[in-house]
Amino acid sequence: MANQPDQEVVLREDLNVGQLGLISIQRKIAPDYASWKVHFERAGIPSEIECNGAQKYGVPHGIDNDSYLALQELYIEQGCPEDGRIGFTMYRLLQMCGLEDSGANRRMMRQSLERLSATQYWISGAWRSHEDDDWVTVGFRLIEKLVFTRARKDTDGAKLIAVTLPRELTRNIRNGYFKPVSTSLLRQLGQPARAAYRVLDALRHDPVDPQTRTVSLQIPLMDLAQRCGIASDKPDKIRRTLDPIHQDLLAAGYLHEIQVTGRGRKQTVSYLFGQPVAEPEAELVELLVALKVPVVAARKLALDYPQNVRDGVAQARAILARGYRPHNDVGFVLDVVRSYGNGKYAWPEGTRTSRPIEAAPTPPRPPQPDLPEVLPSSEDLARTLAFLLKGEGLRREDLVRLPLATLQGVHARVLGRPQEDRARAAAELRTLLGPPAEP
């Protein structure tokens, strides 16, 4: 699942999906395995998940891990539309899953989409709503709506596909409740190790603060089997399923060490993890968020195209300042940045700089004097400050009520400043937002 074989691209996926084990890592399941129910604790919260698939397809498993990661990536790629609807071709989906375009793979992928669309989940007390900062009970399908269409000119059966993702998932992604997925690791691993990597990596993340990730993990063997969707309650069979997966993850460098202690159903697996995943430059993310790009899409674009962000954002602002109104504002900004330098978009007359386009990341530069200045609105500043002061309990919808001059002043003081400066600014904002003193 990568754009280029020699380029590391970091994908993003909702943290709930991996931590809750909604899709089994097993490549094959029994023909009659069409439902399951599990009870467990997540962050100390008693929880229950019930999965009811169609008898025709069984429960989600195997290739569904790849296809659902691709769908989340497409959602981010297309600007995180609020209605959760994305469109793509079967060829594009196969490409993202690292599969050849063959009749067999098309049939397999169509069945995967239909299985995800046909399966109903009921999650009691275990779904983390990042926007509400709470644990909630929800019911949904991983694909809420699935539509296949074909134009008359398509003689080879190539389908255009429209998918609507569940609101519970898309809200979380838009609000930053996600984890990174390394494409370099995905390329090294086959199934089921690829899916197991994503489950283990999800379990490393704090479900309340998803940006916090541990370097080690201890988990009871039976709980691990549940999270991985291994359809057995026999410890020996679970160990036999996990052993080759562990060897693949060790060989890939993702795991540094594994220890299994205890006996029978009381066994515990201890992991020590290897290499970290790259993080984007904060300033690049801030530039994109100020143009209303969702944080998750901004982080991904800043990782994949760091050399394009500053100039691409400046070009997008210049075009918008001349009155251009795209159908999708976020999609327009993403496309300008991705394609910057290839001639797809022209600078408005009188705004283009004479500086040649650079092929590598460059240090921060002051604004070019010949570009029209497009001042960020209160909404832009509130969105950016909510990102910059993440973890301080400040919400965009509260910050936007403050005067524009106040937001501009705080933004100037925190941009690129150390954590202690940001903490002081956050305390000032909380004071300004607090209730009025009693008379």
Side-chain angles (χ1 to χ4, degrees):
M1 300 184 65
N3 295 339
Q4 298 176 18
D6 58 347
Q7 178 184 8
E8 166 70 334
V9 176
V10 177
L11 310 180
R12 308 278 164 171
E13 65 175 342
D14 174 78
L15 189 56
N16 286 299
V17 175
Q19 287 198 346
L20 297 178
L22 300 184
I23 303 175
S24 170
I25 70 169
Q26 294 185 280
R27 282 179 294 184
K28 295 182 179 180
I29 58 173
D32 60 347
Y33 189 33
S35 66
W36 51 261
K37 181 187 289 188
V38 295
H39 302 266
F40 59 96
E41 286 193 359
R42 188 181 184 200
I45 307 295
S47 309
E48 177 184 280
I49 302 178
E50 185 174 349
C51 170
N52 291 295
Q55 193 66 46
K56 176 181 178 181
Y57 302 114
V59 298
H61 65 280
I63 188 62
D64 302 338
N65 286 284
D66 288 337
S67 60
Y68 205 63
L69 176 60
L71 293 179
Q72 293 175 82
E73 175 68 7
L74 283 166
Y75 176 73
I76 297 169
E77 208 175 76
Q78 294 180 23
C80 301
E82 289 198 21
D83 63 3
R85 189 177 185 274
I86 54 175
F88 51 91
T89 63
M90 181 63 82
Y91 175 80
R92 174 65 172 144
L93 187 60
L94 290 169
Q95 184 184 52
M96 294 186 72
C97 292
L99 297 172
E100 293 182 357
D101 186 9
S102 67
N105 284 339
R106 282 177 174 257
R107 287 189 294 273
M108 177 178 66
M109 191 56 62
R110 174 161 185 151
Q111 188 176 76
S112 173
L113 295 175
E114 291 176 354
R115 182 165 44 243
L116 291 168
S117 178
T119 302
Q120 180 73 34
Y121 291 89
W122 181 255
I123 303 171
S124 178
W127 186 267
R128 183 70 184 174
S129 173
H130 194 52
E131 184 175 33
D132 300 324
D133 191 25
D134 201 3
W135 302 96
V136 297
T137 294
V138 295
F140 58 76
R141 292 172 294 161
L142 289 174
I143 293 178
E144 289 288 8
K145 187 175 182 180
L146 174 64
V147 179
F148 291 89
T149 61
R150 180 170 59 190
R152 289 185 178 182
K153 64 181 180 180
D154 291 334
T155 58
D156 61 352
K159 298 285 194 303
L160 296 175
I161 306 166
V163 159
T164 301
L165 297 174
R167 181 172 179 269
E168 293 78 8
L169 177 101
T170 58
R171 280 181 68 203
N172 271 346
I173 292 178
R174 286 199 308 274
N175 285 284
Y177 195 68
F178 53 78
K179 61 172 288 295
V181 179
S182 166
T183 53
S184 65
L185 270 172
L186 294 181
R187 286 195 297 268
Q188 294 178 61
L189 301 169
Q191 290 290 25
R194 206 159 53 232
Y197 146 62
R198 286 166 49 207
V199 171
L200 290 176
D201 204 59
L203 292 171
R204 297 173 64 183
H205 288 257
D206 185 330
V208 176
D209 179 11
Q211 304 307 317
T212 300
R213 192 174 71 154
T214 64
V215 297
S216 62
L217 172 71
Q218 281 192 325
I219 182 170
L221 178 69
M222 304 308 292
D223 287 356
L224 180 60
Q226 201 175 75
R227 294 294 192 278
C228 290
I230 298 173
S232 176
D233 59 357
K234 295 179 172 57
D236 288 348
K237 185 174 181 180
I238 295 168
R239 288 284 303 274
R240 286 196 299 273
T241 300
L242 290 174
D243 282 348
I245 292 172
H246 288 159
Q247 293 307 311
D248 287 347
L249 294 175
L250 284 166
Y254 176 69
L255 291 178
H256 181 69
E257 186 179 325
I258 305 166
Q259 288 187 343
V260 182
T261 56
R263 301 180 63 181
R265 298 175 66 87
K266 299 294 185 182
Q267 294 178 75
T268 297
V269 186
S270 299
Y271 295 104
L272 182 62
F273 296 96
Q275 77 273 20
V277 175
E279 285 297 319
E281 185 180 336
E283 184 192 349
L284 302 183
V285 177
E286 292 158 9
L287 288 170
L288 292 160
V289 170
L291 279 178
K292 301 184 180 180
V293 176
V295 173
V296 61
R299 290 171 64 87
K300 173 171 174 51
L301 201 64
L303 270 173
D304 294 351
Y305 300 92
Q307 73 278 11
N308 288 10
V309 172
R310 293 186 180 90
D311 290 326
V313 165
Q315 187 179 45
R317 283 189 179 276
I319 294 171
L320 292 170
R322 291 299 174 93
Y324 177 66
R325 293 293 176 262
H327 176 68
N328 181 331
D329 289 349
V330 172
F332 167 72
V333 173
L334 296 178
D335 196 42
V336 171
V337 172
R338 289 192 194 107
S339 59
Y340 184 78
N342 68 7
K344 182 175 181 179
Y345 294 93
W347 285 87
E349 187 177 352
T351 64
R352 184 170 183 170
T353 67
S354 59
R355 185 180 55 79
I357 296 168
E358 301 177 11
T362 58
R365 302 180 305 279
Q368 298 295 328
D370 56 345
L371 290 179
E373 185 178 12
V374 184
L375 295 176
S377 65
S378 293
E379 178 72 25
D380 293 338
L381 290 168
R383 189 187 302 270
T384 303
L385 286 171
F387 170 74
L388 290 173
L389 303 175
K390 183 170 53 183
E392 297 287 349
L394 295 167
R395 303 187 308 165
R396 175 191 57 78
E397 51 267 39
D398 295 329
L399 292 170
V400 77
R401 295 189 283 107
L402 295 172
L404 176 61
T406 298
L407 295 174
Q408 290 171 333
V410 175
H411 180 264
R413 296 208 313 273
V414 303
L415 190 62
R417 303 303 300 165
Q419 181 58 40
E420 54 267 28
D421 291 353
R422 297 188 182 202
R424 283 194 292 270
E428 176 186 326
L429 288 170
R430 280 194 293 271
T431 300
L432 294 170
L433 291 168
E438 293 291 337

